[in-house]
Amino acid sequence: MPKIKINNKEVEFENGMTVLQACEIAGAEIPRFCYHERLSIAGNCRMCLVEMEKSPKPIASCAMPAAEGMNIKTNTEMVEKARKGVMEFLLANHPLDCPVCDQGGECDLQDQSLYYGFDKSRFKENKREVEDKYMGPLIKTQMTRCIHCTRCIRFATEIAGVSELGAIGRGEDMQITTYLEKSMQSELSGNVIDLCPVGALTSKPYAFEARPWELKKTESIDVMDAVGSNVRIDSYGWEVKRVLPRLNNNINEEWISDKTRFACDGLLKQRLDKPYKRENDKLLETSWDDVIDLISSKINKTDPKFIAGHVGDMSSLETINSFKTFLNSIGSNSYDFRERFFYINNKNKTNYIFNTSISKIEKSDFIFLIGTNPRTEATILNARIRKTFLSKKIPVFSIGSPGDLTYDYKVVGNNTEDIKKILEGENEVKSILLKSKRPMIIIGESALALKSGKFILESLKNFLFKNNFINEEWNSLNILHKNASTVGAIDLNFFMEEDSFFKKLKNNEFNLLYFVGSDNLNFVKKNEFIIYQGSHGDKMAQIADIVLPSPAYTEQDGLFINLEGRLQKCLKASYPLGLSKEDWKIFNLINKKLKNDFIFKNFRELRNDTLKKIKNHSDYDLLPKTNLKSIKSEDSEFFNENVEIDQLDYYFSNAIARSSKTMSDCKMARTNNFKK
């Protein structure tokens, strides 16, 4: 490996690295504003100046390729003088409004000016003023603060894949704008707030809410989809103020989707904080003792085979396990987690997880989408696909038309017959697939929900095995789930075989239905007695006979398994509202009333029992170990059907999002074609 000398210390570096990256290897801190390791190099701010031997003036380390034999100095008098000069120019037009700026306390410019800034300015002329731009309901602009680092422009173009931001004018007159004064249309737009090194772009919903040092910071995970993005939840007292990304190169890198970031204001709206019972077609407040007596009495009078349960899209493993244990204890074996039927083969974990893993998308050389729209179903995963497409120009094919995915792809069919032809005949897709070394087949729930769902999965699995695309080094079979609770519920066998649950539900064969956080299930009530347990007064709560308040995901500890099969911890960041009780405690109270016994004595016992029941359990944040030898393809029946991809209502996909004013504003902006 080539070597470079930095501050008289010789270090090795990889070909293609810049001087700045080499300096970081050597442990030398280089200030920067425009440079970001995941974006292209711009070299705008010049804050990263260093001294290079035989160079008459300082060089921009972020734009200078490192070369063998270079001698770099980062702490000389020349370097310090140059950086102070750059800082003086940056502050010449920058308003000194730190006390009222939301970036205060987290501002790169503020931090760097403390070291390189002057106590007074030599610039006596009037400062520039720039009109604020409209960027939608999420991003608040104060463009006079802008230092033209162009991070936001590069992110929108390179990562988000929507070329909405750009620059007009030159020099001092340069302005960052959306050109047509429209809202940003990307589901990743909020990340420009984190990227902005000054206070030019800040969070509009969070504006003037709190200072960073006032907030309690809790490292947790996102449950708005099945990706399991690592996040930090910032709360003030019992109120969640904001959600920010945490670095995890294996999952979300340092990005999160807009729904993950901004839907948190829905945690305060439409909340259930007291038990309710229905009398004279009205839900009336009552006590816990009253509803527990009523529920236990109703269960005692109902045949267990007519009792059924359903858990929602954001239910933790502990909730699912305790609910299943409770239902089994009263003699019921009718339960499910799916919002509609889709085929599941749970005989081996490989059959229902994203086997390639999110990080290894970047190593793939062929992607085949079947019945899925990753842009709305798993936004962060879609960003990885785009990243791979841009860097390697890999072919992307699709069965079904998902719409704009932010990268080019080719639709090669819209029905199951097309899948059969690709696997059995001679065609372009099969030819490219067989030539590839690391292909990825991504199957969505829209495909698995078809009558041919079993055929699609099993025939693809057989094809991949036959051509050695499923092995210990690379597994091409990937199932893309939409909900955070899905893989965990499958692991815990919380579903009925085939579609018997949904047939009985449709035919109104159940007498007592117990819904836990289920707000997306299509169900028409007739004579059923319905118990709803959850955090929000959403669709199911409105038709329930009994409503039981339980905490939201930010208000209780819980385990989740993401679409890769990775076990993750969701930590308590705030307090439950009102008289809310944790899900497992509610089941305990009902069971004690029925049988004078608790299902689980404490949370530790519940968690240990849950961990024992998880298939192929690995340690936290690790991919599961799967036994590929035990995977067998099963016989399946073929049906010629159209593959119609579900159009997920991205901003209203769950109860929390539907309660969020910010998500409602985003929905309205999209309805108005993103105009102001």
Side-chain angles (χ1 to χ4, degrees), residues 152-285:
C152 53
I153 297 174
R154 285 174 283 151
F155 174 84
T157 306
E158 297 165 14
I159 308 295
V162 184
S163 301
E164 301 167 323
L165 290 178
I168 57 174
R170 296 183 65 186
E172 191 178 67
D173 295 326
M174 177 177 165
Q175 296 184 33
I176 309 295
T177 178
T178 55
Y179 297 122
L180 300 176
E181 290 284 321
K182 280 189 172 185
S183 168
M184 289 188 69
Q185 301 175 33
S186 170
E187 293 82 10
L188 294 166
S189 63
N191 290 289
V192 300
I193 297 167
D194 299 332
L195 286 170
C196 184
V198 296
L201 305 177
T202 56
S203 172
K204 192 176 281 187
Y206 176 70
F208 308 120
E209 286 287 322
R211 287 298 192 182
W213 54 85
E214 298 175 317
L215 302 173
K216 174 192 164 189
K217 301 167 178 65
T218 306
E219 293 187 351
S220 188
I221 60 160
D222 169 51
V223 300
M224 294 287 163
D225 56 31
V227 173
S229 299
N230 284 218
V231 298
R232 194 189 82 197
I233 301 171
D234 289 359
S235 54
Y236 187 85
W238 56 269
E239 185 179 345
V240 173
K241 289 293 185 180
R242 62 180 183 177
V243 176
L244 299 176
R246 279 192 298 129
L247 178 66
N248 188 321
N249 287 321
N250 292 322
I251 302 175
N252 58 303
E253 297 183 299
E254 56 191 275
W255 321 121
I256 53 173
S257 70
D258 287 348
K259 185 165 54 178
T260 301
R261 185 186 297 269
F262 295 108
C264 59
D265 66 328
L267 293 166
L268 301 174
K269 307 288 194 303
Q270 215 171 311
R271 287 297 303 270
L272 300 173
D273 58 353
K274 302 180 184 69
Y276 293 85
K277 66 177 181 181
R278 190 173 294 277
E279 290 184 0
N280 299 321
D281 207 32
K282 288 184 179 180
L283 284 172
L284 304 175
E285 293 180 17

Side-chain angles (χ1 to χ4, degrees), residues 8-26:
N8 299 319
K9 178 183 176 182
E10 200 170 62
V11 294
E12 293 182 339
F13 66 93
E14 296 178 8
N15 287 321
M17 280 187 170
T18 63
V19 171
L20 187 149
Q21 291 170 319
C23 289
E24 288 184 334
I25 294 173

Side-chain angles (χ1 to χ4, degrees), residues 335-336 338 341 344 346 493 495-501:
Y335 37 75
D336 216 303
R338 292 167 286 187
F341 171 76
I344 299 171
N346 70 328
N493 292 314
F495 62 97
M496 296 176 71
E497 294 297 326
E498 301 299 328
D499 59 348
S500 56
F501 176 87

